Amino acid sequence: MAIERTLSIIKPDATRRNLTGKINAKFEDAGLRIVAQKRIQLTPAQAGKFYEVHKDRPFYGELCEFMASGPVVVQVLQGEGAIAKNRDVMGATNPADAAAGTVRADFAESVGENSVHGSDAPDTAAAEIAYFFSGLELVG
C-alpha cells in the first residue's frame, strides 16, 4: 500500500472537552504519523468555504456555524493507506453505527457533533490539506 497524506480535523465538540490527545493517540496507535498540526478558530466564512461542497444540503448552515463555534485542530496524517486508515479509526459518521473503539463511538456527541473530520479520497485530501497548510508546514 502507498504512503498517503490525509487531512484530519478535531472538531469543536472534542476540543471543548480536551480530547485532542486521546484522539491523536488513536491515530498514532493505528500507525499514522502527524506531520503537520495547528489549533485554529475558523470564521463562519472560512468554514463555509471549506465545506462548500455541501452548500446545497440542508445541514450546511448548521455545519458551518458549528465548525466556527470553537477552536479546531487541523492536522495532516501520513502513513500507508492513510485515507482509509483514518476513516476506519474515525468510525461511522453516526456514532450509533460506529464500531466500538473508534473515535466517534468513544467521543462523538451526535451525528452533527461527531468529533472529527477526515478526507475521503486522494484528490479531496490534497485540496483539504492545501486549504490549511503550505508545503513548508508539512514535515514528515
Side-chain angles (χ1 to χ4, degrees), residues 101-120:
T102 62
V103 172
R104 289 176 173 149
D106 289 352
F107 304 123
E109 295 183 315
S110 67
V111 174
E113 295 187 9
N114 61 19
S115 299
V116 286
H117 164 91
S119 304
D120 62 359

Side-chain angles (χ1 to χ4, degrees), residues 5 83 119-129:
R5 288 181 171 163
I83 296 166
S119 304
D120 62 359
D123 58 333
T124 308
E128 290 181 348
I129 290 167

